[in-house]
Amino acid sequence: MTAVTLPFVTDHRATLDGSLLHRIPVALLNREFPPHLVDEAVKHSRRGPQRNRVLSPQLMTYFTMGMWLYPDRAYTDVARHLADGLTWARGRSDTENSWGAVTDGALSRAREKLGPGPLRVLFSGSTSSGRAAATAGGCWRGLRLASVDTFRLDMPKTAANEAVFGGAPDRTLPSVHVTVLADSHSRRLLDATMEPLPPGAATGPGRHPVLGPDTLLLGDCRRTDFDFLTTAAAASTAVLCGAPADRDLPAAEHLRDGTYLSEVPGAYGEHVTVRVMRTGPHAADGPLCTTLLDPAEAPAPELVQHYTSRWRVGRLTHVLPTTGNSHYTALRSRHPWGVEQEVWAMLCAYQALCGVIAASSV
């Protein structure tokens, strides 16, 4: 199990159950997504009251996010920690016994009735504060700094999951790939999409979301070739990315600062002019490419510094585990609707905890 790191908790004498180490993450969920926002998300998703009055849509929304706080615990243990944390956070006892004597089966059925909609709506709403933070600070030479990264989540091997998410010949588990866009200053997520999409899922912003002409998008082309670079460039977004070490980038023009201009192929047969820096952060990593072509306006040392300090998925996994161990997989869901629900819940949980993550060095 990946431990939840809370740097401001110094009372190491606290017991595991009912301690600050369990209550504070739940309190952060409650602060980021207060009950009225959760109720609005449920209403927006057209999820009305359920027959089980104990496991209301509101509580089940918190429960799905809470699954990422306690990934190796049984459903009933997650519910118990949430009840304790919400009671502590709200300073009253209206949630203390609201879960009742629930069972894993009842919680599983309530998850299915909830669906992924409320979590998707909550995450979409949480990105607005990230966009506000992006405009409030973290600019470099007039450009907002944003980072794009991709990670994979494994899931149980079931017929339903394999029908949608498949599985590579060299892998025993199906998986979903999640692409996220984060503000490099606040570390909050600005957008996300997943591939492949479960049936009925929202299509999202596309394979690589972009922000616009006032943004410098930082990313890695080593695993995806140059597709996101050319897609972003087509939307007039400046890009800085790492290129494969073995990729041939012939020089078309040498510049005075030691960098040179080259061309990379686009997704539709076009070519994009890039500036190549052979002195990347690590020689084995290959060169860096940018669509900022003027050395005076975008000095190479500054670009290298921004690339090495960019937001990466490691900041997300610092608190929220994305890979399983010998006892559990990253996702619990045996059906595609649950996979989508868990992915949105994971991103919501990160939004609630990103302030703590920013305070903790990775």
Side-chain angles (χ1 to χ4, degrees):
M1 176 182 178
T2 299
V4 176
T5 303
L6 298 172
F8 50 82
V9 176
T10 58
D11 184 5
H12 299 290
R13 298 171 298 175
T15 59
L16 183 63
D17 292 329
S19 69
L20 289 178
L21 291 175
H22 281 274
R23 288 174 171 174
I24 288 179
V26 177
L28 292 174
L29 290 182
N30 185 72
R31 184 183 67 176
E32 178 75 20
F33 305 106
H36 73 276
L37 284 184
V38 175
D39 290 340
E40 290 176 5
V42 170
K43 182 178 180 180
H44 184 79
S45 302
R46 298 179 181 178
R47 291 285 175 174
Q50 299 176 193
R51 293 181 179 179
N52 190 332
R53 296 183 180 180
V54 174
L55 301 179
S56 66
Q58 181 193 111
L59 286 178
M60 289 309 302
T61 301
Y62 286 114
F63 173 83
T64 308
M65 290 186 284
M67 287 164 52
W68 285 101
L69 303 182
Y70 317 105
D72 63 343
R73 299 297 184 91
Y75 278 3
T76 51
D77 290 336
V78 175
R80 179 167 54 86
H81 287 308
L82 279 173
D84 178 72
L86 290 175
T87 298
W88 180 76
R90 298 173 183 177
R92 59 182 191 267
S93 60
D94 60 342
T95 58
E96 186 172 8
N97 298 313
S98 57
W99 296 89
V102 298
T103 64
D104 287 349
L107 289 163
S108 180
R109 291 189 294 272
R111 271 194 61 201
E112 182 175 3
K113 292 178 181 178
L114 179 71
L119 282 306
R120 183 172 59 240
V121 172
L122 283 178
F123 173 73
S124 178
S126 72
T127 61
S128 60
S129 57
R131 294 180 185 275
T135 59
C139 289
W140 170 76
R141 295 178 177 264
L143 295 174
R144 298 179 295 173
L145 300 178
S147 299
V148 63
D149 205 355
T150 301
F151 61 98
R152 187 192 71 229
L153 291 167
D154 292 338
M155 65 190 70
K157 186 181 178 73
T158 65
N161 283 343
E162 286 188 308
V164 173
F165 301 102
D170 59 341
R171 294 186 53 78
T172 59
L173 296 175
S175 60
V176 61
H177 290 258
V178 183
T179 299
V180 291
L181 181 70
D183 173 54
S184 295
H185 175 63
S186 68
R187 311 301 187 189
R188 291 185 65 88
L189 302 183
L190 305 174
D191 219 331
T193 187
M194 67 184 77
E195 293 181 359
L197 286 170
T203 56
R207 182 169 186 178
H208 293 290
V210 294
L211 290 180
D214 59 347
T215 299
L216 173 59
L217 187 61
L218 310 171
D220 191 349
C221 289
R222 297 186 181 100
R223 295 190 304 269
T224 60
D225 205 22
F226 293 106
D227 54 351
F228 101 77
L229 182 152
T230 55
T231 300
S236 302
T237 298
V239 178
L240 172 65
C241 68
D246 58 353
R247 184 62 182 262
D248 183 25
L249 295 171
E253 178 184 349
H254 290 276
L255 304 178
R256 59 185 179 275
D257 67 337
T259 63
Y260 66 88
L261 301 183
S262 184
E263 289 187 341
V264 298
Y268 304 101
E270 78 281 13
H271 286 78
V272 177
T273 301
V274 296
R275 180 167 149 235
V276 182
M277 289 156 274
R278 284 293 181 187
T279 56
H282 305 288
D285 288 342
L288 300 182
C289 297
T290 182
T291 55
L292 299 173
L293 306 183
D294 189 342
E297 295 182 358
E302 295 181 23
L303 291 174
V304 171
Q305 180 181 1
H306 287 308
Y307 182 80
T308 57
S309 62
R310 73 191 188 281
W311 184 95
R312 280 169 279 189
V313 167
R315 292 189 178 274
L316 189 151
T317 60
H318 183 53
V319 166
L320 302 175
T322 60
T323 57
N325 60 21
S326 59
H327 301 293
Y328 65 96
T329 56
L331 297 174
R332 309 187 191 211
S333 299
R334 302 175 63 83
H335 299 276
W337 63 261
V339 169
E340 185 191 359
Q341 184 190 68
E342 282 192 75
V343 170
W344 294 124
M346 175 192 186
L347 301 178
C348 286
Y350 171 84
Q351 296 287 65
L353 298 177
C354 72
V356 178
I357 299 173
S360 306
S361 60
V362 176

